[in-house]
Amino acid sequence: MALPRTNVLNQMLILTFILNLLPAAKADMNTPVQTPWDSKVSKDNPLPEYPRPQLVRSEWKNLNGKWDYAIAPKGKGEPKEWGGKILVPFCFESQLSGVHKQITLDDWMWYKRSFTVPKSWGGKSIMLNFQASDWETVVYINGKKVGRHRGGYSPFSFDITDFINKDDRQELVVRVWDNSGMELFTSCGKQGNPNHWNSNYPNSSGIWQTVWLEPVNEGGAVDLDINASLKKSMVSMFIETADSPASETNAKIKILDDGDVVAEKKAPVNKEIKLFIENPKGWTPDNPHLYDIEVALERSGKVIDRFASYCGLRDVSIDPTRKGPQILLNGEPLFQFGPLDQSYWPRSVLTPPTEEAIVFELEYLKQVGCNMVRLHIKRNPSRWYYHCDRLGLIVWQDFVCNKPFPKQKIDAQESKRWFSEQEELVDSLNCHPSILKWIVFNEAWGQHDTERIVKKAESMLSPEYLVSAASGWTDFDNLGDIRDLHEYSRFPAATAPSEESKRAVVMGEIGGFNVPIKGNNWVQYPEPALPDNPDFKVEGKDRRGGMRSNTDSADRDFVTDIKRPLFSQKNMATHYQRFIETLAQERYFGLSGAVYTQLTDMRHEQNGWLTFDRKVSKIDPERLNQIHQVLYQPVQERQKIFSFQSEWKHKGQKIQFPISADSDEIRNLSKYESAVYSTEFDVDEKPKQAVINVKLRSEHQKDKFGYLKVYIDDNLIYDDLSRHKKKETRITCVQLTEQQCGLLSKGGHKLKIEVDSTINFELLDMSIDKIIR
């Protein structure tokens, strides 16, 4: 199945320029910003594309469009009066739906519309398909209940054949209740409290992805699983059919490469079918090769079903023999880098407004030099994954979490209900070659019974995927394939290779450069939106650009964690480039990938590469691409200039390392005091490039901070906070600027370390290396 490749990025940049010249359209007072695609949404047939790209049939009928709606008290019957029209598939809370109302836990959402069944579909089963509806969906056809589905993020279907009457027009009524995660152990992601309108992460209640009808002959396919391995030169397929013994129905399968048949086989359905391709082409971000698949199901010599699909052959593994176990794609190490994508839209909440909007974002990521994207605790429409497949974007896919809960004792049945939703999620996405990694828990949100849940997830997922047990600060030693760090600091630190002998280390969230753009923010701050100082050294407490910066240190231009740095757009690229160059040096100790936070601004966050309305790239895409290239270059060799194993003094007295909170000189400090350690070293030749490595061992499980500053000849070259929740050893690699390298002239030098009284780490090692090209 080949869909046209459309490059819309250049057109979008031109469109954005034109839009900025035109008088501003009158915006909804509750929608400060809008995307360029909102005005293009069809009022009769929004999102008209076939929604399931890996099991495509030629006959289908899109039911998106205007439906009658009503909001009624929970527990009441079908309303006698309807409140107006809603544009499906946009949720009740969105502006594009035409409703824009907050749904509470006491509400039932009702939908109604009529449809006709084409006469050519006679004698076939009629399937009613939903890509997603949040959360409990009950369907009625012609006044009769068809069935119920629970879960807000997975596709589901009903066979409505027996409910179709002989009349031309059929009546479809849908009732939805959104528990908004208030009922424990249900998938809700980041959706907000239903009692708080305009939360930072608004709810997406009711139908929020495409609804469609499809005719299927008796015995036709109801599900398709594809696993494709480049190493084995094999495509494994499992075609599931309903009410049909495998012996009665055979699948005739062809795999094609640019129209040429490269493998074919006839075999019974409801069993694993293996096809082998001679000299297969692998799927990679640089060459995302896809094979087309044609399937015909036959019974008694007659074709009863026909559909198209596709696959990409790739293998993912971890090589533990390298310095820091490395993620391998098709047997080769590949540093994976891309943004966190929360995938919220100003006027349509979790639903992309158009296909063009989806393609624009993904082509933008390719243009700025990304090979990966982390989809954050939600499931996008299936076509989003198709475009990742064809464009060559690796996907790190999150499970959809339930909300944090106060229970100390976990109810097994409640936990099982949540996990069943994740099973549906995996089943709906397990054919996409772009998905390489699954993240089970994120930052302890709804995290419970971790070891059992992760092992259950590993048994559910095929070996073609990597599993991250917990992205953030709630890791369990040796659980899963990945040690996944969140490091919102100026110089992110990676776990030392000695701490992880089998798992690869990645940074699941880093960065967060806070750059508000006037006119493109959800929160419209009055002038001046930025201080006069373009680098803005945060002092005290401030709130600008939608983020809170809070630190008592007046000489810092970068703060940690969610208290993110505030820069002007003019200076963002310079600071960002230093950040990425430093990140690239972490690869020397085995870092396998990183996720920058984030792709676009949000309602309350201005830390995206793109603004929330997708109209402004805060760094020119070409410049951003150039900055990112250092992440994919070969890891550079190093040679030590300075080693930690030298004689150090504190107040003229020799001291013993490691430095920690238990050291006498630290314990005797008063609040806000610092301990200063010094030594001397010689340089043979001034380096063109150099890196300072700082190796720390955290001492606390709780969230504490500690300052560490490093000086060469009284010039500050390193200044950062240590922030760890897990007791582990981490290494920070800071690439020195050209000016800082100039301090390392031939001859003798003095090195000084300053540590304040809030220390929560042991300083185990430090070195200065010159880079050998």
Side-chain angles (χ1 to χ4, degrees), residues 17-43:
F17 175 76
I18 295 172
L19 290 174
N20 288 335
L21 295 178
L22 297 174
K26 186 177 181 181
D28 185 307
M29 62 179 295
N30 294 307
T31 311
V33 293
Q34 302 180 45
T35 75
W37 304 279
D38 295 334
S39 61
K40 297 181 180 181
V41 173
S42 168
K43 301 302 181 185

Side-chain angles (χ1 to χ4, degrees), residues 91-93 134 178 191 202-208 348-351:
C91 68
F92 270 75
E93 292 85 352
D134 197 358
D178 184 6
Q191 296 186 61
N203 288 352
S204 191
S205 301
I207 299 169
W208 65 280
S348 52
V349 191
L350 289 180
T351 310

